[in-house]
Amino acid sequence: DRRRDSLAAGSPIQPIIKDVGEVYSRLLDHRPVIQGEIRYFVKEFEEKRGLRELRVLENLKNTIFETNERVLPKCEQAMQDNLSETFKRLQAANAMIRRLQERECEARKLQADKVMAREEKCIAHWEEFMKEQQNKRAEVDEEHRKAMERLKEQYSEMEKELAKYVSF
């Protein structure tokens, strides 16, 4: 800038450069306008809003303090009371369920023992029945064999008698 100023200082271009600088600052340099708008906005914001945010923050602080100091301990105490009562009830319910399960297990075991005894009894009856059937079959076979022998004898006698008549 100094060099330009020193070069332009003695020349007739100096007023033109000065005019161009003014035109530039008025048309293209927006910094003073923006700074003015910013100052106006901040002034309006502070005047219109005042201390409203501060009051809101103070109310929030008071609400949080009250919640932490009064409401939260009450909630914790109520929760502890209810949880201990609920825990006792759950323990009692678990004990009752355990007893019921034990009774049911014993009943199932008794039922299984009864079924096993019935099965053993049925097996014993079946074996006895099969032995009896074997004996009866042996008796029937023996009677059949004797009847067959008698019939053989009878037929052989009949053949002999028939043989007598055939020779006539």
Side-chain angles (χ1 to χ4, degrees), residues 128-144:
E128 184 180 323
F129 174 76
M130 290 305 287
K131 285 179 185 177
E132 192 176 303
Q133 290 301 316
Q134 288 287 344
N135 292 336
K136 286 182 180 180
R137 191 178 100 204
E139 288 176 15
V140 168
D141 285 345
E142 183 63 29
E143 283 180 29
H144 183 266

Side-chain angles (χ1 to χ4, degrees), residues 9 11 14 19 21-22 27 30 33 43 75-76 78-79 96 99 105 114 124 143 151 157 160 165:
S11 72
Q14 187 177 8
D19 288 341
E22 278 185 37
L27 293 179
H30 299 295
V33 174
K43 181 181 170 188
C75 290
E76 286 177 354
M79 184 178 69
M96 290 172 64
R99 284 192 301 266
C105 185
K114 287 180 182 179
E143 283 180 29
L151 283 174
E157 284 179 27
K160 286 180 189 176
Y165 293 115

Side-chain angles (χ1 to χ4, degrees), residues 118-134:
R118 284 186 201 138
E119 285 180 9
E120 289 173 1
K121 189 176 178 181
C122 285
I123 290 171
H125 282 304
W126 180 255
E127 288 174 358
E128 184 180 323
F129 174 76
M130 290 305 287
K131 285 179 185 177
E132 192 176 303
Q133 290 301 316
Q134 288 287 344

Side-chain angles (χ1 to χ4, degrees), residues 43-158:
K43 181 181 170 188
E44 285 292 313
F45 186 79
E46 286 176 350
E47 285 178 6
K48 288 184 179 177
R49 305 261 329 201
L51 300 174
R52 190 178 336 164
E53 282 79 20
L54 189 59
R55 285 189 301 254
V56 169
L57 290 174
E58 187 67 32
N59 288 340
L60 284 173
K61 181 183 136 193
N62 291 338
T63 303
I64 291 171
F65 179 77
E66 182 179 339
T67 301
N68 284 339
E69 295 297 319
R70 295 187 188 131
V71 176
L72 190 60
K74 286 180 185 178
C75 290
E76 286 177 354
Q77 185 61 39
M79 184 178 69
Q80 286 296 330
D81 294 343
N82 290 336
L83 282 178
S84 63
E85 180 65 28
T86 304
F87 185 70
K88 289 176 186 175
R89 288 182 180 181
L90 282 174
Q91 285 179 330
N94 279 339
M96 290 172 64
I97 288 171
R98 197 174 307 115
R99 284 192 301 266
L100 285 172
Q101 285 178 334
E102 288 172 0
R103 288 180 190 162
E104 186 175 320
C105 185
E106 289 173 6
R108 284 183 186 165
K109 187 176 178 185
L110 287 174
Q111 188 69 20
D113 290 344
K114 287 180 182 179
V115 167
M116 192 67 127
R118 284 186 201 138
E119 285 180 9
E120 289 173 1
K121 189 176 178 181
C122 285
I123 290 171
H125 282 304
W126 180 255
E127 288 174 358
E128 184 180 323
F129 174 76
M130 290 305 287
K131 285 179 185 177
E132 192 176 303
Q133 290 301 316
Q134 288 287 344
N135 292 336
K136 286 182 180 180
R137 191 178 100 204
E139 288 176 15
V140 168
D141 285 345
E142 183 63 29
E143 283 180 29
H144 183 266
R145 189 184 56 78
K146 288 180 183 178
M148 289 291 287
E149 284 180 17
R150 276 184 272 150
L151 283 174
K152 279 184 186 179
E153 286 177 18
Q154 185 180 1
Y155 281 122
S156 69
E157 284 179 27
M158 288 171 84

Side-chain angles (χ1 to χ4, degrees), residues 34-45 48:
I34 291 174
Q35 287 175 353
E37 287 295 320
I38 290 172
R39 276 191 231 107
Y40 175 75
F41 177 78
V42 169
K43 181 181 170 188
E44 285 292 313
F45 186 79
K48 288 184 179 177

